[in-house]
Amino acid sequence: MSAVQIDGLHKSFGTLEVLKGIDATVESGEVVCVIGPSGSGKSTLLRCVNLLEQPNSGKIVVNGVEITDRDCDIDAARRRVGMVFQQFNLFQHLTVLDNLTIAQRKVLKRDKAEAQRVAIENLEKVGVADKAKSYPAQLSGGQQQRVAIARALSMGPEVMLFDEPTSALDPELVGEVLGVMRRLADEGMTMLVVTHEMQFAREVADKVLFMDGGVVVEQGPPSQVIAAPQQERTKTFLARVL
Ligand code: ADP
Ligand code: MG
């Protein structure tokens, strides 16, 4: 059974068809990187997997449960899939610790001590436990993004989605976030990552999907898709970003 199975996924905004039938799978413990030009539908794909967008048609199955089923509990499904955004999306008026405990308490009904224990454990994992009492604005972008990763991990997700997690960071801060993601991958976390970091994709991804115009143009191991692309559109894109 795959961790994530996407079949014939279509998504339109009004008359604009953004996803034109996406088929993709992420096996348990795999890292799949999604690359492609701006506007190709990468974020929309991730947002559908987290049910932030409702697909028009097609199916998404997470560890055997069809989350696109009409009768599926959306909140329960979302809990199983963690997401990290380009812009961190931390609550600015809450401390780092409270950012990590609020959903655990409200959604998972954990008591305060347990939520804090899990929070600290995950802050330690991403190397920012010393910032637990700080507010997001007091942290660097790299620290904020690591907090956002720890927050997602605190919900115990089965799959982690990353949408260009390093694109908003100053160049010198990119490495610390990619380092955390590498460690997660090494620990066996199942990850679907939209990224422009080709070196990360090359070294960490089990599989790379190249998207353009709402379709998956080419997919396979990085040694194929990045190092030896077959499709003209993939070659053109890589020539621009590499
Ligand atoms: P990418 O992440 O690859 O840059 P997106 O998935 O963000 O691409 O966007 C794909 C297309 O869908 C773009 O043309 C974008 O303008 C459009 N789009 C995305 N979200 C919405 C929305 N909520 N309403 C209308 N159009 C949208
Ligand atoms: Mg995007």
Side-chain angles (χ1 to χ4, degrees), residues 13 16 18 37-44 53:
F13 295 106
L16 180 67
V18 173
S38 178
S40 57
K42 306 180 300 294
S43 293
T44 304
E53 302 289 355

Side-chain angles (χ1 to χ4, degrees), residues 33-178:
C33 284
V34 182
I35 63 172
S38 178
S40 57
K42 306 180 300 294
S43 293
T44 304
L45 173 63
L46 252 58
R47 293 170 62 82
C48 284
V49 177
N50 203 22
L51 295 178
L52 291 171
E53 302 289 355
Q54 191 65 46
N56 294 84
S57 63
K59 214 163 102 165
I60 302 172
V61 180
V62 177
N63 287 326
V65 179
E66 187 189 341
I67 63 170
T68 40
D69 188 298
R70 270 177 205 293
D71 297 329
C72 175
D73 176 347
I74 288 185
D75 293 325
R78 249 183 224 148
R79 237 172 276 159
R80 302 168 52 220
V81 182
M83 182 135 172
V84 173
F85 301 88
Q86 185 175 336
Q87 296 295 344
F88 326 140
N89 292 6
L90 296 173
F91 300 115
Q92 294 297 318
H93 64 291
L94 296 180
T95 64
V96 164
L97 188 63
D98 290 343
N99 262 281
L100 267 70
T101 56
I102 186 166
Q104 293 187 64
R105 299 200 60 194
K106 289 202 163 138
V107 178
L108 302 181
K109 311 290 181 204
R110 287 183 182 149
D111 67 30
K112 188 173 176 182
E114 170 70 356
Q116 290 191 346
R117 188 190 63 71
V118 172
I120 297 292
E121 187 181 292
N122 283 299
L123 288 173
E124 279 168 356
K125 190 174 205 169
V126 302
V128 287
D130 57 326
K131 302 293 182 190
K133 292 286 156 57
S134 301
Y135 287 86
Q138 298 171 306
L139 307 185
S140 72
Q143 290 169 330
Q144 290 189 55
Q145 192 59 300
R146 286 186 282 147
V147 168
I149 293 171
R151 181 175 63 177
L153 292 175
S154 294
M155 301 300 281
E158 296 164 31
V159 179
M160 285 282 284
L161 311 177
F162 293 86
D163 192 358
E164 298 195 38
T166 60
S167 293
L169 299 177
D170 291 332
E172 74 271 22
L173 304 178
V174 168
E176 66 191 60
V177 172
L178 293 180

Side-chain angles (χ1 to χ4, degrees), residues 207-220:
K207 201 158 69 195
V208 175
L209 302 188
F210 172 68
M211 278 181 71
D212 193 12
V215 298
V216 176
V217 173
E218 187 162 354
Q219 62 173 301

